[in-house]
Amino acid sequence: DGITVKGTDRLRADFLPKRFAHLQGERYDPVKLDETFREMLRSGLFETLRVTPTPVAGDEVRLDFTVSEAKAKELGFTLGYGTYEGAVAGFRLGDRDLFGRGRPLSFFAQYTQREISGEFLYLDPWLFDTRFALRTRLYSQTRTEEGYAKNELGFRTDLSRKLLPHLELGAFIESRYVTITDSTIVAADLGPLSYTLQSIGLTQSTDYRNDPINPARGFIVTSAFDIAQLDSQPAFLRGTLRFSWYLPVGPCLLAFGARAGYIASLLDDLPIDVRFFNGGGATVRSFVERELGPHDRLGNPLGGEFSTTFNAELTFPLSGGLQ
C-alpha cells in the first residue's frame, strides 16, 4: 500500500519509494525487504534508517520510513609507503548524494615515487531507476615502471546487473591513449611506443561470501573476457579468471586463491602495458613486483601473454581486534 518517508533533507523525497518500488504488488516477504534495506544501509547515505511495516485495510502492508541522512560531502587523505611504489600521498573529494539523487561522484589524486595520477569516478547503482548499475571512470596518469615510463589518459564504463542473489553479470567498454616517454628496453621488446587501445568485454561474479569486505566463509569466482583493437586494428582477445575460498578453522581463517590470465594476440608486438606481470605483494610475495617472469638482457621485466598465481593464507587472532 505504498511507502511513506519522514526525515529527508537533501535527498529527494521519491528516492526511497523508487528503491523499494520493485516490491509493490508482491507478496510480503521480510527476506526480500531486508535485502533492499541492507542495500540502502551500505550506500552510506543514512546515519539512521528505520522501516516499520504497517498493516492497512485489506491484506496490504505500507512501509513507513524514518531516516536521518548522513553527511554527503567527504574529504579523505592517504599517506603510506610501499616497497614498489615508495612514498604514497593522496586526497579524495566526494559527494555521495549528487543533486539529491543518491548517486556518488568523487575525485581522487595521488602521488607516489612512481606515479602521479588523478581520476573522476561516478557511480549510479540504479541506472534510470532500474536494477542496472553504472560505473564510469575517467583518469590520467604519469607512471614509471621497471625499464620504461609512460603517460596515459583513459576512461572505462561498466554496466552490470545482479540477476540472482549471488550472480552478477556485466559488460564494459574501455579506451585509453598511451605514450612511452622513456625506456631502457629495446623497441622490439616494448611494442608500440604510442597507441590508442579500445576494448569491449563481459564480466561475471558468483559471490557466496558471507561478507564482501571482511569474509569469514564462502567463495567467490570472477571472470572477464574482452576483445581489443589497437589504432583501429584488431589486437587481441583476453580472458581472466579468479577464485577465492575462505574456510574457518577454529579461531583462524584459512583462505585459498587462484588466478589465471591469457591473451591471444593478433599482433607481432603486443604493447608492454597490456601484458601480464607477476610477483609482489598482490601476487607472489616471495618475488618483488614484476620479478617473476621473462626479462631482457638488462634484467628489465617484459611481461607475458599467460599468467597463473596460487595463494594460501592463514589469518589468526592475536589480541582483541588485532589479527
Side-chain angles (χ1 to χ4, degrees):
D1 188 48
I3 294 171
T4 67
V5 182
K6 294 180 180 179
T8 53
D9 180 17
R10 186 182 180 197
L11 199 64
R12 291 171 54 169
D14 63 351
F15 177 80
L16 281 173
K18 286 182 177 180
R19 301 291 74 77
F20 288 84
H22 64 284
L23 300 178
Q24 192 101 24
E26 299 291 326
R27 182 180 298 275
Y28 177 73
D29 186 340
V31 174
K32 291 183 178 180
L33 175 61
D34 187 63
E35 287 176 358
T36 306
F37 181 81
R38 290 179 181 275
E39 180 185 348
M40 295 300 99
L41 290 177
R42 289 192 297 268
S43 71
L45 294 169
F46 304 100
E47 189 171 290
T48 60
L49 177 63
R50 181 178 178 181
V51 58
T52 304
T54 306
V56 295
D59 59 353
E60 294 185 328
V61 171
R62 186 182 69 244
L63 299 181
D64 297 325
F65 285 91
T66 303
V67 309
S68 174
E69 295 182 27
K71 294 180 179 179
K73 303 292 196 301
E74 290 183 333
L75 173 62
F77 297 94
T78 300
L79 289 173
Y81 180 82
T83 54
Y84 185 69
E85 295 292 330
V88 179
F91 73 93
R92 176 182 178 273
L93 297 171
D95 187 342
R96 288 183 290 186
D97 188 15
L98 191 65
F99 304 126
R101 300 179 63 248
R103 274 68 168 178
L105 174 68
S106 63
F107 171 75
F108 179 69
Q110 180 172 269
Y111 165 82
T112 77
Q113 289 179 269
R114 288 192 176 274
E115 175 185 277
I116 300 176
S117 63
E119 72 167 40
F120 285 96
L121 178 63
Y122 174 72
L123 301 176
D124 189 341
W126 313 281
L127 183 64
F128 302 125
D129 294 316
T130 68
R131 304 298 288 173
F132 286 92
L134 178 75
R135 183 181 190 273
T136 298
R137 174 177 178 252
L138 175 66
Y139 68 92
S140 175
Q141 67 174 201
T142 298
R143 184 168 177 83
T144 301
E145 301 286 7
E146 292 290 342
Y148 70 97
K150 66 170 183 176
N151 293 330
E152 181 174 339
L153 176 66
F155 81 91
R156 172 168 169 150
T157 296
D158 290 77
L159 182 67
S160 61
R161 176 163 183 176
K162 184 170 286 190
L163 299 182
L164 298 171
H166 302 284
L167 175 64
E168 181 175 277
L169 299 180
F172 67 88
I173 183 170
E174 183 177 18
S175 180
R176 52 183 174 140
Y177 175 69
V178 180
T179 302
I180 304 298
T181 57
D182 188 24
S183 173
T184 59
I185 303 174
V186 297
D189 291 331
L190 272 177
L193 300 182
S194 179
Y195 61 89
T196 300
L197 183 73
Q198 296 101 14
S199 62
I200 184 170
L202 301 173
T203 61
Q204 77 80 33
S205 175
T206 302
D207 190 352
Y208 279 86
R209 297 173 297 176
N210 68 320
D211 188 315
I213 304 299
N214 188 27
R217 67 179 63 86
F219 68 90
I220 180 173
V221 180
T222 61
S223 60
F225 174 80
D226 65 311
I227 303 172
Q229 63 176 19
L230 190 74
D231 296 330
S232 301
Q233 299 296 321
F236 58 82
L237 307 177
R238 175 171 52 192
T240 58
L241 177 67
R242 171 198 165 201
F243 170 76
S244 297
W245 181 33
Y246 302 89
L247 179 66
V249 181
C252 304
L253 177 65
L254 185 61
F256 299 97
R259 278 172 283 178
Y262 177 67
I263 298 177
S265 178
L266 306 176
L267 304 171
D268 294 330
D269 51 349
L270 191 68
I272 192 170
D273 256 12
V274 304
R275 303 171 197 166
F276 296 112
F277 291 87
N278 217 332
T283 55
V284 182
R285 298 174 188 174
S286 51
F287 292 82
V288 299
E289 273 77 4
R290 296 184 166 223
E291 184 68 21
L292 182 57
H295 296 71
D296 66 6
R297 59 184 179 83
L298 298 179
N300 295 310
L302 299 178
E305 298 176 9
F306 179 66
S307 174
T308 57
T309 303
F310 300 92
N311 298 106
E313 181 178 281
L314 180 68
T315 303
F316 53 93
L318 292 177
S319 175
L322 180 62
Q323 297 181 328

